[in-house]
C-alpha cells in the first residue's frame, strides 16, 4: 500500500512573517485535523528551511521539509548555489528536481537533472522528479512520448535501487498555475503510463512501490476526485499550498 503524499511547493512566495505564520497555522491544523492518511511535506524557499525545521521540531509536528532546488554539484566555487548536503544538514528530507519552471526559466537540461538527482541521493535525500508535457504535445497526441522521453533521459540513468528511493510528479505544464486541471481520467491515464514505463525498465517491485503525485492546479474542489484514482498517490500543490485552509482541505480530501 502506497501512503499518500501531499507536498506544498511554495515557490518564490511569502515574506518571512507570512511564511512563519503559515507554518504555525499548519501545525495548528495538523493537531486538530485528521492527517493520518497522508504524509505532508512543505517546500518553502531555501532561506526559510532552518527556521521551519526548528519550528516543526519544537512543536512535535510530523510535517517534513523539502527544498525547491539544489546545485548539480556538491561544493566549490558556484556563487549563489546551495548544495544537497547543505539542505540535508539543516533538516530537509526531499528535493524537487526537474520542475518545469526550472527547466524553462533556468535552462536546466537532462544532464543537470541527472547530476542533481545524483547529489540528492548521495545525501540520502528523496528526489521528487517532475515531468510533464506542454499543451501542444497533448494536442498533437504526443503526451506519452514526451513523458517517456523525460523518464528515459533522467530516471532511466539510475539503478532500480536508486529509483526505489525516488518520487515522481506528473505535472502537465498547461495545468500549472493556470486554474486548468487534468481531468481525473487524464491524470489516471498518465500515472498508469508512468508506472508501466517504470515497471518495464525496473520491474514490479520498484513500480508498485513508486509514489506518483499529480501537480497542476490541484485545489480543495478537485482534489478528492484526482486523489481517488488508483495510480495517483498524492499531490504536488503550488498556489493552494500557501493558504492553510486550502492546503488542509487537500490533505483531508
Ligand atoms: P499549481 O502549481 O498548483 O499552482 O498549479 C503546481 C506546481 O507547480 O508544482
Amino acid at each position: 500500500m502506497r501512503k499518500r503524499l501531499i507536498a506544498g511547493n511554495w515557490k518564490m512566495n511569502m515574506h518571512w512573517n507570512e511564511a512563519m505564520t503559515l507554518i504555525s497555522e499548519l501545525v495548528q491544523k495538523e493537531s486538530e485535523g485528521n492527517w493520518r492518511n497522508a504524509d505532508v511535506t512543505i517546500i518553502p524557499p531555501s532561506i526559510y528551511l532552518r527556521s521551519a525545521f526548528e519550528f516543526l521540531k519544537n512543536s512535535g509536528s510530523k510535517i517534513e521539509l523539502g527544498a525547491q532546488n539544489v546545485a548539480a554539484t556538491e561544493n566549490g566555487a558556484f556563487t549563489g548555489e546551495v548544495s544537497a548536503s547543505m539542505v540535508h544538514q539543516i533538516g530537509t528530507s526531499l528535493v524537487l528536481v526537474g520542475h518545469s519552471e526550472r527547466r524553462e526559466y533556468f535552462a536546466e537540461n537532462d544532464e543537470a537533472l541527472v547530476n542533481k538527482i545524483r547529489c540528492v541521493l548521495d545525501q540520502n535525500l528523496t528526489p521528487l522528479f517532475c515531468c510533464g508535457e506542454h499543451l501542444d504535445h497533448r494536442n498533437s497526441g504526443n503526451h506519452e512520448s514526451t513523458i517517456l522521453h523525460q523518464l528515459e533521459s533522467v530516471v532511466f540513468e539510475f539503478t532500480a535501487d536508486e529509483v526505489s528511493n525516488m518520487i515522481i510528479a506528473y505535472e502537465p505544464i498547461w495545468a500549472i498555475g493556470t486554474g486548468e486541471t487534468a481531468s481525473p481520467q487524464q491524470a489516471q491515464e498518465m500515472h498508469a503510463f508512468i508506472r508501466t514505463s517504470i515497471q518495464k525498465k525496473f520491474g514490479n517491485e520498484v513500480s508498485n512501490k513508486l509514489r506518483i503525485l499529480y501537480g497542476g492546479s490541484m485545489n480543495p474542489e478537485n482534489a478528492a476526485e484526482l486523489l481517488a484514482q488508483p495510480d495517483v498517490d498524492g499531490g504536488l500543490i503550488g498556489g493552494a499550498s500557501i493558504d492553510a485552509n486550502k492546503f488542509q482541505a487537500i490533505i483531508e480530501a
Side-chain angles (χ1 to χ4, degrees):
M1 220 1 220
R2 298 181 293 267
K3 188 166 182 196
R4 190 180 279 184
L5 170 64
I6 303 295
N9 173 13
W10 294 10
K11 310 193 180 184
M12 197 174 70
N13 288 303
M14 286 186 298
H15 289 118
W16 171 254
N17 289 341
E18 299 164 307
M20 290 301 125
T21 302
L22 176 56
I23 292 173
S24 69
E25 284 172 357
L26 291 173
V27 167
Q28 182 69 29
K29 291 187 181 300
E30 178 192 24
S31 68
E32 295 163 356
N34 176 11
W35 290 23
R36 273 193 309 277
N37 295 332
D39 292 328
V40 177
T41 296
I42 55 172
I43 312 176
S46 291
I47 195 169
Y48 301 152
L49 283 171
R50 183 62 194 182
S51 316
F53 175 75
E54 280 166 6
F55 188 94
L56 294 173
K57 192 167 157 227
N58 292 337
S59 49
S61 170
K62 289 202 170 69
I63 299 173
E64 301 240 354
L65 283 172
Q68 294 176 19
N69 180 41
V70 292
T73 186
E74 196 24 65
N75 57 43
F78 298 97
T79 301
E81 290 287 83
V82 171
S83 75
S85 65
M86 291 172 187
V87 300
H88 179 218
Q89 282 195 357
I90 61 169
T92 304
S93 54
L94 170 151
V95 179
L96 288 186
V97 179
H99 192 282
S100 58
E101 288 154 16
R102 299 291 318 172
R103 294 178 193 253
E104 193 161 327
Y105 307 142
F106 302 94
E108 290 188 2
N109 60 20
D110 293 336
E111 190 190 349
L113 303 184
V114 169
N115 290 336
K116 284 179 187 225
I117 292 183
R118 174 72 51 219
C119 291
V120 171
L121 288 171
D122 283 348
Q123 297 300 321
N124 293 317
L125 295 167
T126 303
L128 201 179
F129 174 73
C130 306
C131 57
E133 81 282 1
H134 278 288
L135 190 57
D136 53 343
H137 293 138
R138 178 158 283 272
N139 289 340
S140 59
N142 292 321
H143 42 297
E144 289 191 349
S145 58
T146 302
I147 299 301
L148 184 59
H149 177 74
Q150 292 174 354
L151 294 174
E152 282 172 346
S153 46
V154 181
V155 179
F156 286 16
E157 293 292 313
F158 293 87
T159 65
D161 259 8
E162 289 168 332
V163 176
S164 69
N165 290 315
M166 295 184 195
I167 298 171
I168 292 181
Y170 168 61
E171 298 209 303
I173 295 165
W174 47 272
I176 295 180
T178 58
E180 200 171 320
T181 325
S183 69
Q185 293 69 29
Q186 285 172 323
Q188 169 54 27
E189 232 171 69
M190 293 308 284
H191 284 230
F193 175 76
I194 291 169
R195 198 177 307 286
T196 305
S197 307
I198 295 293
Q199 186 266 332
K200 285 184 187 153
K201 172 76 179 170
F202 298 107
N204 283 330
E205 205 181 316
V206 178
S207 68
N208 287 337
K209 182 184 162 213
L210 179 72
R211 291 198 280 190
I212 306 175
L213 314 186
Y214 170 79
S217 299
M218 192 185 269
N219 60 44
E221 286 72 48
N222 59 31
E225 218 188 332
L226 285 161
L227 293 168
Q229 303 306 309
D231 287 294
V232 177
D233 306 313
L236 179 56
I237 325 296
S241 75
I242 57 176
D243 176 313
N245 289 322
K246 290 184 184 170
F247 196 53
Q248 175 181 37
I250 295 171
I251 292 164
E252 295 185 351

